[in-house]
Amino acid sequence: MIALLLRDLRLATRAGGGFGLGLAFFLMVAVLVPLGVGPEAATLSRIAPGILWVGALLACLLSLDRLFALDFEDGSLDLLATAPIPLEGMVAVKGLAHWLVTGLPLTAISPVLGLLMHLAPAGYPWLVLALALGTPALSMIGAFGAALTVGLKRGGLLMSLLVLPMYVPTLIFGADLVTRGAQGQATTTPLLFLAAVTLGSAAVLPFAAAQALRMNLR
Amino acid sequence: MIALLLRDLRLATRAGGGFGLGLAFFLMVAVLVPLGVGPEAATLSRIAPGILWVGALLACLLSLDRLFALDFEDGSLDLLATAPIPLEGMVAVKGLAHWLVTGLPLTAISPVLGLLMHLAPAGYPWLVLALALGTPALSMIGAFGAALTVGLKRGGLLMSLLVLPMYVPTLIFGADLVTRGAQGQATTTPLLFLAAVTLGSAAVLPFAAAQALRMNLR
Amino acid sequence: MNLQVVDLAVARGGVAVLAAVNFRLDAGRALILRGPNGLGKTTLLRTVAGLQPPLAGEVRVPEDQMAYAAHADGLKSTLTVAENLGFWASVFGTGSAEAALAAMNLTGLRDRRAADLSAGQKRRLGLARLLVTGRRFWCLDEPTVSLDTASVALFAGVLRAHLAEGGAALIATHIDLGLPEAALLDLTPFRAPLSGPAGAFDEAFS
Amino acid sequence: MNLQVVDLAVARGGVAVLAAVNFRLDAGRALILRGPNGLGKTTLLRTVAGLQPPLAGEVRVPEDQMAYAAHADGLKSTLTVAENLGFWASVFGTGSAEAALAAMNLTGLRDRRAADLSAGQKRRLGLARLLVTGRRFWCLDEPTVSLDTASVALFAGVLRAHLAEGGAALIATHIDLGLPEAALLDLTPFRAPLSGPAGAFDEAFS
Amino acid sequence: MSIWEYANPKKFMQTSAWVLPWITGLAVATLLAGLFWGFFLTPDDYKQGSTVKIIYLHVPSAMMGIGAWFMMLAASLIWLIRRHHVSALAAKAAAPVGTTFTLIGLVTGAIWGEPMWGTWWAWDPRLTSFLILFLFYLGYMALWGAIEDADTAADLTSVLCLVGSVFAFLSRYAVYFWTQGLHQAQSLGVVGGDRVSNVYAAPLLLCIAGFILLFVTLVLLRTRTEIRARRISALLARERRAA
Amino acid sequence: MMPDLGRYATTVLSAYAASVILILGLVALTLWQGARMKRRLAEIEARAKGLAE
Ligand code: HEM
Ligand SMILES: Nc1ncnc2c1ncn2[C@@H]1O[C@H](COP(=O)(O)OP(=O)(O)OP(=O)(O)O)[C@@H](O)[C@H]1O
Ligand SMILES: Nc1ncnc2c1ncn2[C@@H]1O[C@H](COP(=O)(O)OP(=O)(O)OP(=O)(O)O)[C@@H](O)[C@H]1O
Ligand SMILES: [Mg+2]
Ligand SMILES: [Mg+2]
C-alpha cells in the first residue's frame, strides 16, 4: 500500500505527471472570473467564496480524470486487481495520493486567490479551514466517479457529469461556511455538516469505488 | 478531409464519444455557481455574462483535452501524418469538428442557461451572437494547445494552463459584448474585436498547430 | 496444489466463445493453449485469472496463487525499469527486484525510463514482473510477442526454472516457445456451438 | 522507381542507434530487416517513412509512395471494421474497402466494432489498411505479431500479390514470414559505434 | 568571425566564463549603489510619504519581467530559424528569472497598493496584463518541464513563446479596453500625476541598470548550467548504450 | 543611519524584504544548480574517460 502511495506520488511529480497543474487551474478560475465579470471590488468580494469553491471543485475534478484511467489503459489495473492488495485499500490510497497532490496545495494557496477575488479579511481563516475540511471529500467522491467511468475513452467529461451533482453538498456547506465566516456570522452548522460529508465519504466510498472497479474489469 | 470530418463527428456521437458532455458541463457551471454564490437575482444577473462565458470556455477546454491525444495513442496520428492530407488541413478539420460538437450546441442552449442565471432580457440575442462568434476561436486556440501537449500523459491539465491565458482576449471581448448588450450600450467595438480574434485564430493557428504536431511526432 | 478447469464456458461481448473446456494443470507442468485467431484464448485466460466470471463451469485454483500477464504490460512510461519492477515487488511483498532484472537480462537497462525501451525490451520487462509476484501459477497471453530468438530462449529458460521450483504455467501462443516438455491443448474443438446459450440473459428468455 | 537508403544514421532519444546503413529496394522486391531486440529497427523504419529526421545520410523515396504500419494499428475501437477501413480508403482516395476486407478475411467481421476483435483480428484489420492506401512502398514493423499460422500465410499471399503488381516492402520481423524470395538484411553490423557523436549537441560541445 | 560563433556551446562557455566575473561585480555594485542611494539618500514624497522608496524595486523588476519575455522571444526565434542550441537553452534559462522579476513586481506592487489605493489588488489594466504575463511564464516553464526530449521541448516551447506573445499582446489591449485603471501612466517617473523630480530619477535609473545587469548575470549563469545539463544527458545516454 | 520611514515603515520594509528574499532565493537556486551540474559533469566525464581507456 505504501508502495502504491509512493508510486502515485512519484508519478505525479515526474515530468508530465500533473503536479501543480491543479493549482494552476485554480488560479486560472480566480483570474478568469473577474475578467468575465468585471473589475468592481464590491461584486467580486460578494461572490468570492462561491467562485473560489467552484474553482477548487473544478481543479479537483480535472486532475481526477485519469486517476484510474491511466492504470486501466496500460494494463496495471488488471494486474493490481490480481495482486494481494484489497481493491478497497487501493482506492483509498489513490484517493489519498490525489488529495496530497491537489487538495492540499490548493488549500495552501487559497488565501492568495482570496486576495485576487477581494475576499473580506475575516474570511481568510475560514476559507482555509473549509478547503482543508472539504477537499478530502472531493478527492474521495471523485475517486468513485473515476472508478465508474474507468473503461471509457473520453470518460473524463462523463465523469464530470456524474461527479458534479455529488459535489453539491460539499460545495454548499463549504461556500456557506466561508460566506458566514467572512461576514462574521455563526459557522457551527455548516462546519459540522462539512465534516460529516467528508468523514462519510471517506468511510463508505472506497468500498463502492472498489466494487465499481471490479465491475469495470470484467 | 471530408472523410476525416465525418469520422470525427461519428466518433463523437458514438457511445463514450463525449458529445453532449460539453453541454452538460456548461449546464453544471450554470447550476453550481448560483449554489455557491447564493440565490439573489440581482447579483446573479450582474455576473451572468461573465460566468456563462467562463462556463463555455471551461466546457470547450475539457472536451478539447483529447483532440489529438486519442489519435496519438492508438497510432492514427502517425498514419495520418503519412497520408496525403496536409497536416494543416487536418488540424483545421479537427478544430471544425470540435466546434460542431461543442461550440455550436453550447451556443444553442445558452439562452436556457441565461434564464438560470437571471440574465437581463436584452442580453439574450447578444449572448447567442457572442458565443456563435467566439467559440470557433476557443476551438482553434484549444487545438493549438492540444497539439503542443499531444505526447504527454495527463497532458490535459498542462494544456489548460497553456490555453487559458490565450483565451483571455476572447473572454474579455465576449463577456463585454454580452454585458453591454444586456445594458443596452453600444456593442460595435467588442463585436469587431471578437470577430477579429476569431478570424485571426482560424487563419494562423492551424499552421502553428501543424508545426507543433510535426515536432511531437518525431 | 493444482489448477482445475471444469466444464468451463466463457463469453465475450455477451457471446459464448468456448464451451465445455476441461483441463488440469499440476505443479511443475506447463500447458500451451493453441487455436486460431479469435477463438477465445484471451477470454479463457482472463476467466482463469479471475478477471471475468465464467459463463458456466468453474475454475478451481488455490487462493492468491495466480499471476496474469496480458498483451498490455502495465508499465509506467515515466518510471525507470527498476522503479517499475520495484513497485510490483513491493506490492507483492517479495522484496528485491534485482534477481528478476538479471534473469530477464535487463540489468543494463535498469535506469532507463520505460518509454525509452524498444518493443522487445518492454516485453522483457513485462515478463520480469512475473518473477517478482512470487506466485505459483502463471497465466500468460502471447508472452513472446516482439521477442527475438535469443530472448525467447531466455524466457524459456526462466519458465523452465519456474516449473522446476514447483510452479506451473498456462500459456496461449502462436509462436513456438522451445518448450518440448509442455503439454499442448488445441482449443479448436471447444468452440462454443452457435446454437448454444449466449449468456445469462439469453438463457433467461428461453 | 525504387527506394534508396544512403549512409543513413538514425537516433532515438538523442542517441545514434544505427549508422552507415545502405540499401536499395526495387519495385517488386521485399527486404526483411533482422536484428536483436533494441537494435533500432523501429527507429530505422520510422525514419524511412519520414516520421523522424535522419541523423545523417538520406532516404531517397518517390514522393507520397510510402505506407507505414507500426506496432499500433490506429484503429478506433468504437467504429466498426468496415468504418475503420472505409475511413482510410477515403483519406487515401482509393474508393472502396471491400476488396481489402476480403483479402484479409475480414468480410465476416465487417460490422463488428474494433473493440470487440481479438488481438489477431485487430492486426489483420491493421494490415488490410495497407491495401487501401494504394501506395507502392510498404514499411512494416513486425506485421505478423499475434497472427496464427493460417493468417501469416494469408498475409504472405497478400504481400506476394503486392510485389507482383510492382510494389515493394521493407519489413522488420522476428518471425519467419514464409517469403523465401525476400532478401534479408541483418542490421547487427550497423550498430552505431559507441564513440561516435551521440547527437548534434554533444558534437557542438567538444 | 561571425556573431553566430558565440552560439557554439564551447565558444559560449569560454566567453561567458571570461565575462561573468566582471558583469557580476558590475551588477552587484550598481544594484547596491542604486538601492542604497534610493533607500537612504532620497527624501519622502509629499503625497506618498516613504512609500516612494518602493519605486526602486517595483519599476525595475516590472520592466525586467516584461523585458525577459522579449529576450525569450528573440532567443526562440533564433532557435527556430538557425537552430543554435545555446539560444534555446538561454530562453529556458531566462524563464525562471523573468518569472521571479514578474513576481517581485507583483508583490511590491501589491504591498505598495495597500497604502496608496487602499487595496492589495485591483483589476487595473496594467496589473491585470502583468498577471496574465505571469501565467504565460508559468505555462512556458511547465511545458519545458513536461517534455522529455530536449530538442522537442525546445521546439515546442519556442512555438508557444511565439504564439503566446501574440496573445499576450492581444490580452494587453483587451484589458485596457475592459477597464480603466488606478495605475500610474507610462513614461518614467510620473508619480501622483507629477513628473518625478530628479531626486528620484537618478537612483531609479541606476536601479534599472542594476536589474538589467543582474538579469544578464543570472541568465548567463543559468545558461551555463543548462549547457552542462545537456552535456550530462548526452554522456549518460552514451554510457547507457555502452552498458 | 536608518532613515525615518514614518507610518509606512512596515510597508516599505516588507516590500524590500520580499524582494530581497526572492532575489536571493533565485541567486541561491541558480548557484546551487550550477554547482551541482558542474560536479555531476565532472564526475561523469571522469567516468567516461575511464571507460574510454
Ligand atoms: C500588484 C500591483 C502592481 C502591479 C502588478 C504593477 C505593475 C507594474 C508594471 C507592469 C509596470 C510597468 C513597467 C514598465 O512598463 O516599464 C509598473 C510601473 C510602475 N508602477 Fe506599478 N504595479 C502595481 C502597483 C503599483 C502601485 C501601488 C504604485 C504606486 C502607487 C505603482 C507605481 C508604479 C510606477 C510609478 C511605475 C512606473 C511607471 C512608468 O514609468 O511606466 N505600481 N507597475
Ligand atoms: N461483442 C462481441 N460480439 C461477438 N463476438 C465478440 C464480441 N467481442 C469479442 N468477440 C469475439 O470473441 C472472440 C474471442 O476473442 P479472444 O480475444 O478471446 O480471442 P483469442 O483467441 O485471444 O484470439 P487471438 O489469438 O487473435 O488473440 C473473437 O472472435 C472476437 O471477435
Ligand atoms: N532515451 C534513450 N536513450 C538511450 N537509448 C534509447 C532511448 N530511447 C530508446 N533507446 C534505445 O534505442 C534502441 C532502439 O529502439 P527500437 O525500438 O528502434 O528497437 P527495435 O530494433 O525496434 O527493437 P524491437 O525488436 O525490440 O522492437 C533501443 O535499444 C532503446 O532502448
Ligand atoms: Mg488474444
Ligand atoms: Mg521495434
Side-chain angles (χ1 to χ4, degrees):
Chain A
M1 299 267 244
I2 308 256
L4 186 61
L5 183 64
L6 288 181
R7 181 191 75 149
D8 272 20
L9 292 180
R10 193 182 277 157
L11 279 174
T13 46
R14 258 326 130 79
F19 177 75
L21 291 171
L23 272 188
F25 189 81
F26 191 31
L27 184 69
M28 292 292 162
V29 170
V31 172
L32 289 181
V33 166
L35 287 180
V37 165
E40 291 86 28
T43 319
L44 288 177
S45 104
R46 168 79 197 69
I47 63 175
I51 298 293
L52 287 176
W53 257 97
V54 171
L57 207 140
L58 295 177
C60 258
L61 196 72
L62 274 183
S63 46
L64 267 170
D65 179 6
R66 322 226 72 209
L67 191 60
F68 302 112
L70 286 179
D71 280 344
F72 180 78
E73 278 162 23
D74 66 15
S76 305
L77 206 57
D78 278 355
L79 304 178
L80 279 171
T82 55
I85 300 185
L87 222 47
E88 287 76 12
M90 195 202 81
V91 172
V93 166
K94 282 200 158 260
L96 177 62
H98 179 262
W99 182 73
L100 287 176
V101 175
T102 57
L104 192 60
L106 224 114
T107 309
I109 65 149
S110 59
V112 179
L113 305 191
L115 211 64
L116 286 183
M117 294 287 301
H118 293 288
L119 183 69
Y124 288 91
W126 295 107
L127 178 65
V128 174
L129 178 67
L131 285 175
L133 255 178
T135 44
L138 298 184
S139 288
M140 274 321 303
I141 298 172
F144 173 61
L148 280 178
T149 55
V150 69
L152 310 171
K153 294 253 159 190
R154 301 209 196 169
L157 218 43
L158 173 58
M159 195 199 60
S160 313
L161 195 56
L162 295 177
V163 164
L164 279 178
M166 294 195 266
Y167 276 177
V168 168
T170 318
L171 171 65
I172 290 183
F173 295 129
D176 195 51
L177 178 55
V178 182
T179 311
R180 284 172 185 243
Q183 298 171 353
Q185 300 170 356
T187 50
T188 344
T189 330
L191 193 64
L192 286 181
F193 275 113
L194 192 60
V197 171
T198 299
L199 289 179
S201 315
V204 175
L205 286 179
F207 297 91
Q211 207 52 46
L213 276 182
R214 279 198 198 93
M215 291 165 178
N216 263 321
L217 283 182
R218 297 225 182 93
Chain B
M1 300 264 243
I2 308 257
L4 186 61
L5 182 64
L6 289 180
R7 181 191 75 150
D8 272 20
L9 292 179
R10 195 181 276 157
L11 279 174
T13 46
R14 270 311 139 82
F19 177 74
L21 291 171
L23 274 187
F25 188 81
F26 191 31
L27 185 70
M28 289 294 161
V29 170
V31 172
L32 287 181
V33 166
L35 284 179
V37 166
E40 292 88 26
T43 318
L44 287 179
S45 100
R46 169 77 196 72
I47 64 174
I51 299 295
L52 288 177
W53 257 97
V54 172
L57 208 140
L58 296 176
C60 256
L61 195 73
L62 275 181
S63 44
L64 267 171
D65 180 5
R66 322 225 73 209
L67 191 60
F68 301 110
L70 287 179
D71 280 344
F72 181 78
E73 278 161 23
D74 66 15
S76 304
L77 207 56
D78 278 354
L79 303 178
L80 280 171
T82 55
I85 301 184
L87 220 48
E88 286 77 12
M90 195 203 83
V91 172
V93 165
K94 283 200 158 259
L96 176 63
H98 179 263
W99 182 72
L100 288 175
V101 175
T102 56
L104 192 61
L106 224 114
T107 308
I109 65 149
S110 58
V112 180
L113 304 192
L115 219 59
L116 283 182
M117 295 284 302
H118 295 285
L119 183 69
Y124 288 90
W126 295 107
L127 180 65
V128 174
L129 178 66
L131 285 174
L133 254 178
T135 44
L138 299 184
S139 288
M140 274 319 304
I141 297 171
F144 172 64
L148 279 179
T149 55
V150 68
L152 309 169
K153 296 253 159 189
R154 302 209 195 168
L157 218 43
L158 173 58
M159 196 198 60
S160 315
L161 184 58
L162 299 181
V163 163
L164 281 178
M166 295 200 252
Y167 277 177
V168 168
T170 317
L171 171 65
I172 289 183
F173 294 129
D176 195 59
L177 177 56
V178 184
T179 312
R180 286 173 186 237
Q183 298 171 354
Q185 300 170 353
T187 50
T188 342
T189 329
L191 193 64
L192 285 181
F193 276 115
L194 191 60
V197 171
T198 300
L199 289 179
S201 310
V204 174
L205 287 179
F207 296 90
Q211 205 52 46
L213 277 182
R214 279 197 199 95
M215 291 163 175
N216 261 319
L217 283 181
R218 294 216 193 102
Chain C
M1 183 116 125
N2 59 22
L3 171 101
Q4 259 180 295
V5 162
V6 185
D7 270 343
L8 188 68
V10 298
R12 203 175 138 198
V15 185
V17 291
L18 290 171
V21 182
N22 282 285
F23 61 80
R24 207 179 106 161
L25 181 62
D26 289 316
R29 310 300 304 272
L31 179 64
I32 295 183
L33 303 175
R34 294 241 172 210
N37 284 143
L39 185 68
K41 300 177 296 299
T42 299
T43 316
L44 181 67
L45 284 177
R46 286 182 66 86
T47 313
V48 170
L51 286 166
Q52 64 176 64
L55 190 62
E58 63 176 315
V59 177
R60 290 191 205 129
V61 55
E63 181 91 16
D64 268 355
Q65 277 304 326
M66 184 65 77
Y68 173 69
H71 294 288
D73 288 316
L75 304 179
K76 291 294 166 191
S77 50
T78 51
L79 297 184
T80 66
V81 168
E83 284 170 341
N84 264 298
L85 207 56
F87 166 65
W88 291 110
S90 42
V91 162
F92 284 91
T94 51
S96 160
E98 290 308 317
L101 282 177
M104 289 310 295
N105 194 12
L106 287 164
T107 324
L109 299 171
R110 68 190 309 284
D111 294 321
R112 178 84 52 92
R113 291 188 322 143
D116 294 338
L117 297 177
S118 81
Q121 290 162 343
K122 272 188 199 139
R123 187 84 309 215
R124 288 217 301 271
L125 178 52
L127 294 174
R129 190 187 58 87
L130 290 169
L131 291 171
V132 303
T133 59
R135 297 260 165 115
R136 304 281 284 272
F137 291 96
W138 290 358
C139 266
L140 310 178
D141 200 355
E142 307 195 36
T144 58
V145 153
S146 294
L147 292 187
D148 59 14
T149 30
S151 302
V152 171
L154 184 74
F155 176 64
V158 167
L159 202 57
R160 224 172 253 130
H162 178 65
L163 301 182
E165 285 170 11
L170 186 63
I171 309 167
T173 185
H174 301 293
I175 306 171
D176 185 33
L177 294 180
L179 265 186
E181 68 271 37
L184 263 175
L185 178 65
D186 189 345
L187 289 173
T188 323
F190 303 105
R191 198 190 286 271
L194 282 179
S195 52
F201 190 70
D202 197 42
E203 222 164 64
F205 256 88
S206 53
Chain D
M1 184 117 122
N2 59 21
L3 171 100
Q4 260 179 295
V5 162
V6 185
D7 270 342
L8 188 68
V10 298
R12 208 179 134 192
V15 186
V17 291
L18 291 172
V21 182
N22 282 286
F23 61 79
R24 208 179 105 162
L25 181 61
D26 290 315
R29 311 301 303 271
L31 178 64
I32 296 185
L33 303 174
R34 294 242 171 210
N37 283 143
L39 185 67
K41 300 177 295 300
T42 299
T43 315
L44 181 67
L45 285 176
R46 285 182 65 87
T47 313
V48 170
L51 287 167
Q52 64 176 62
L55 190 62
E58 63 176 315
V59 177
R60 289 190 204 130
V61 55
E63 183 91 14
D64 268 355
Q65 278 304 327
M66 185 66 79
Y68 172 70
H71 294 287
D73 287 316
L75 304 177
K76 290 294 164 191
S77 49
T78 51
L79 298 184
T80 66
V81 169
E83 284 170 341
N84 264 300
L85 208 55
F87 165 65
W88 290 111
S90 42
V91 162
F92 284 89
T94 51
S96 159
E98 289 309 317
L101 282 177
M104 289 310 295
N105 194 12
L106 289 164
T107 323
L109 299 170
R110 68 190 310 286
D111 295 320
R112 179 83 54 90
R113 290 189 321 145
D116 294 338
L117 297 178
S118 80
Q121 291 161 343
K122 273 187 197 139
R123 186 89 302 220
R124 288 218 299 273
L125 179 53
L127 294 174
R129 189 185 60 84
L130 290 170
L131 292 170
V132 303
T133 58
R135 298 258 165 118
R136 305 280 285 271
F137 291 95
W138 289 358
C139 266
L140 310 178
D141 200 356
E142 308 196 34
T144 58
V145 153
S146 294
L147 291 186
D148 60 15
T149 30
S151 303
V152 172
L154 183 74
F155 176 64
V158 167
L159 202 55
R160 225 172 251 130
H162 178 65
L163 300 183
E165 286 169 11
L170 186 63
I171 310 168
T173 184
H174 300 294
I175 306 171
D176 185 34
L177 293 180
L179 265 186
E181 68 272 37
L184 264 175
L185 177 66
D186 188 344
L187 289 174
T188 323
F190 303 106
R191 197 191 285 272
L194 286 180
S195 51
F201 193 76
D202 192 44
E203 210 169 83
F205 201 89
S206 51
Chain E
M1 190 183 95
S2 115
I3 185 174
W4 298 117
E5 289 209 0
Y6 292 96
N8 171 299
K10 194 171 184 187
K11 181 84 183 154
F12 177 86
M13 290 299 271
Q14 285 169 353
T15 317
S16 61
W18 185 81
V19 168
L20 256 175
W22 296 98
I23 202 160
T24 312
L26 204 58
V28 172
T30 333
L31 205 55
L32 284 182
L35 286 177
F36 183 85
W37 186 353
F39 190 81
F40 292 104
L41 307 179
T42 55
D44 288 356
D45 184 69
Y46 69 99
K47 248 162 63 188
Q48 309 197 2
S50 61
T51 57
V52 261
K53 296 193 193 303
I54 298 178
I55 205 174
Y56 308 113
L57 292 166
H58 175 74
V59 174
S61 56
M63 284 177 76
M64 287 318 291
I66 297 168
W69 185 271
F70 277 109
M71 183 234 128
M72 281 156 55
L73 179 60
S76 298
L77 278 171
I78 293 175
W79 161 250
L80 283 181
I81 294 167
R82 304 210 39 144
R83 302 201 82 72
H84 289 304
H85 286 83
V86 172
S87 67
L89 294 181
K92 182 182 185 187
V97 185
T99 312
T100 310
F101 284 160
T102 308
L103 194 60
I104 294 176
L106 282 170
V107 169
T108 51
I111 293 175
W112 200 355
E114 206 272 325
M116 285 304 105
W117 306 333
T119 174
W120 299 90
W121 179 260
W123 290 95
D124 161 280
R126 239 329 158 48
L127 277 61
T128 308
S129 51
F130 207 52
L131 183 63
I132 294 168
L133 177 67
F134 184 64
L135 296 179
F136 273 110
Y137 272 119
L138 290 186
Y140 179 85
M141 291 196 299
L143 191 62
W144 263 111
I147 303 169
E148 205 62 28
D149 182 71
D151 278 3
T152 311
D155 280 337
L156 291 173
T157 50
S158 299
V159 173
L160 175 69
C161 186
L162 240 72
V163 176
S165 300
V166 175
F167 277 92
F169 192 72
L170 257 177
S171 307
R172 203 184 127 90
Y173 281 92
V175 162
Y176 272 92
F177 158 80
W178 167 71
T179 170
Q180 276 71 48
L182 296 160
H183 197 279
Q184 268 62 34
Q186 187 60 316
S187 100
L188 179 73
V190 182
V191 175
D194 307 319
R195 276 197 65 88
V196 156
S197 55
N198 288 332
V199 204
Y200 303 121
L204 180 57
L205 283 174
L206 207 55
C207 282
I208 292 176
F211 267 75
I212 294 176
L213 288 169
L214 178 65
F215 174 75
V216 175
T217 309
L218 286 173
V219 171
L220 284 180
L221 273 172
R222 297 188 73 91
T223 310
R224 288 168 65 82
T225 306
E226 295 294 344
I227 289 177
R228 290 207 170 94
R230 277 297 293 274
R231 168 80 170 158
I232 287 175
S233 63
L235 285 176
L236 278 182
R238 189 188 288 176
E239 209 173 275
R240 269 188 264 122
R241 237 169 57 83
Chain F
M1 181 68 212
M2 191 70 188
D4 176 25
L5 295 171
R7 63 199 170 96
Y8 295 128
T10 21
T11 306
V12 176
L13 289 179
S14 59
Y16 271 75
S19 307
V20 168
I21 288 171
L22 281 171
I23 290 177
L24 287 186
L26 179 66
V27 169
L29 187 73
T30 303
L31 292 178
W32 177 69
Q33 283 173 335
R36 203 182 51 152
M37 271 320 152
K38 204 169 175 177
R39 214 172 42 237
R40 279 191 63 197
L41 183 59
E43 237 168 59
I44 289 165
E45 239 158 11
R47 217 162 44 187
K49 270 221 188 76
L51 215 76
E53 275 154 18

